[in-house]
């Protein structure tokens, strides 16, 4: 079998970064190209272990830059495109929606054109359960692949728009695509603007943790390595044109998540600070992963084992997240909330 060329967009970010490491280590016969624009969320220091490997390559490029993307595809003739690159933070999409449309919608369309022009074997679009909107608190309701798309935030609206473009390129041009819609991820290298790494880093620094509203909103948490394995499976075995939901039935309220982290780190719950709720805050997300399980996926972590591993990782890798929170992110955060 000839060497396969895999383009991973957003491979300097949280999930794309974990995926690049997974692929480089697991498939020495694949050449893995990490394409990333290195926005505030992109960081290459996480790849110090793999950057010397012969099958790892880095390309700095903007997915919305048509000329650059087309000439890269023309030169490299990729077999697979695994598309993670995006603006990913809901709070930022509320204050600065425009960049979400540019990157998530226009950027995806440019990649689709390139994938079509240079006939890739598979285009996997990494999407989110947030495109389905929100569920109420009835624990027997779940998002399936048939749930209508009803995105509520500018972030989820931009992701839903890109999902529809991916679908259209399959229907119109026969592009071999899959869309994955995963629940909230957590794990190593999670950027500390998101709830779990923000809580761990702030608790370790004895700083207050902002909980939006009453803290009763529910998210369905999945360890990032289980998400990476799901994408690996879908890129190889997914049926063209199909959507696969990814989730491991780990629903927790935000308050439960924050309290678990505080108690694991043996700190005081006095650090919890209830702050003004997020605008349009989705109540609950919960995934039905039956279709993916039938394809052969089974998660390795449950929330208890996954959060313990993650907290330990943040304890062992303080340098990584300290370098990040001392930069631009901290300024952004301080602009939004006044914390004790
Ligand atoms: P992230 O914000 O950590 O990383 C995004 C990466 O994309 C960064 O490295 C950034 O530099 C890069 N990027 C941004 N704009 C770019 C551009 N114009 N060109 C090239 N690169 C660009 O995001 P994440 O949490 O790793 O999410 C990755 C993907 O997974 C996103 O598409 C997101 O919608 C999806 N997703 C995330 C979650 C989650 O819980 N984090 C859950 C389900 C799906
Ligand atoms: P987040 O990690 O931003 O992911 P998403 O909005 O994509 O689900 O937020 C997870 C949940 O935690 C969400 O309900 C909002 C809430 N939250 C807080 O209560 N405080 C915070 O500081 C942040 C960032 C999020």
């Amino acid at each position: 079998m000839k060497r396969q060329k895999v383009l991973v967009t957003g491979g300097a970010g949280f999930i794309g970064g974990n995926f690049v490491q997974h692929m480089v280590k697991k498939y020495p016969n694949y050449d893995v190209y990490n394409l990333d624009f290195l926005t505030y969320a992109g960081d290459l220091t996480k790849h110090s272990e793999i950057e010397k490997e012969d099958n790892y390559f880095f390309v700095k490029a903007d997915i919305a830059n048509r000329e650059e993307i087309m000439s890269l595809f023309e030169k490299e003739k990729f077999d697979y495109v695994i598309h993670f690159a995006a603006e990913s933070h809901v709070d930022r999409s509320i204050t600065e929606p425009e960049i979400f449309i540019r990157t998530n919608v226009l950027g995806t369309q440019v990649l689709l054109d390139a994938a079509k022009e240079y006939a890739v074997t598979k285009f996997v679009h990494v999407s989110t359960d947030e495109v389905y909107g929100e569920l109420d608190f009835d624990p027997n309701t779940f998002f399936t692949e048939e749930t209508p798309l009803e995105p509520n935030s500018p972030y989820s609206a931009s992701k839903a728009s890109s999902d529809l473009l991916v679908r259209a390129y399959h229907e119109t041009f026969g592009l071999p695509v899959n869309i994955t819609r995963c629940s909230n991820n957590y794990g190593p290298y999670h950027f500390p603007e998101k709830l779990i790494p923000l809580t761990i880093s702030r608790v370790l620094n004895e700083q207050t943790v902002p909980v939006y509203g009453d803290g009763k909103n529910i998210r369905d948490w999945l360890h990032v390595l289980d998400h990476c394995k799901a994408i690996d499976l879908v890129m190889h075995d997914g049926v063209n044109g199909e959507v696969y939901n990814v989730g491991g039935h780990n629903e927790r309220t935000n308050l439960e998540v924050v309290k678990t982290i505080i108690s694991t780190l043996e700190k005081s719950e006095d650090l919890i600070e209830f702050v003004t709720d997020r605008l349009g805050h989705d109540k609950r997300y919960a995934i039905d992963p039956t279709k993916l399980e039938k394809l052969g996926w089974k998660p390795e972590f449950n929330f208890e084992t996954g959060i313990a591993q993650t907290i330990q990782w943040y304890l062992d890798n303080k340098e990584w997240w300290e370098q990040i929170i001392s930069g631009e992110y901290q300024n952004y955060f301080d602009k939004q909330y006044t914390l004790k």
Side-chain angles (χ1 to χ4, degrees), residues 29 32 52 68 78 100 105 145 151 202 237 243 258 273 292-293 310:
N29 56 330
V32 180
K52 304 237 156 40
E68 251 177 27
F78 297 112
F100 285 71
V105 185
E145 290 79 1
R202 290 189 68 89
D237 294 347
V243 175
V258 169
E273 185 182 355
L292 186 69
E293 285 168 352
T310 301

Side-chain angles (χ1 to χ4, degrees), residues 89-90 130 184 193-195 210-212 219 254 278 281:
H89 191 38
V90 173
E130 303 191 23
N184 285 63
E193 66 184 346
K194 309 277 170 63
L195 180 68
V211 172
Y212 299 166
R219 296 293 181 263
N254 294 337
R278 172 186 280 174
H281 195 173

Side-chain angles (χ1 to χ4, degrees), residues 12-15 36-37 39 42 61-63 84 86 88 127 155 159 185:
F14 164 46
I15 310 175
D36 201 292
F37 199 35
T39 68
D62 174 2
I63 55 166
F84 294 88
S88 68
S127 190
Y155 162 67
K159 291 297 292 188
N185 283 214

Side-chain angles (χ1 to χ4, degrees), residues 9-17 35-43 46 61-65 83-89 99 102-104 107 125-130 155 159 180-186 189-191 193-194 221 227:
T9 71
F14 164 46
I15 310 175
L35 181 152
D36 201 292
F37 199 35
L38 300 181
T39 68
Y40 80 94
D43 142 74
K46 57 171 66 91
D62 174 2
I63 55 166
N65 184 329
H83 176 35
F84 294 88
E87 288 294 334
S88 68
H89 191 38
I99 184 73
R102 184 184 181 276
T103 299
N104 301 1
H125 178 62
V126 180
S127 190
T128 163
D129 61 356
E130 303 191 23
Y155 162 67
K159 291 297 292 188
T180 58
R181 295 192 179 128
C182 191
S183 60
N184 285 63
N185 283 214
Y186 66 99
Y189 299 115
H190 203 179
F191 195 86
E193 66 184 346
K194 309 277 170 63
W221 294 96
H227 188 190

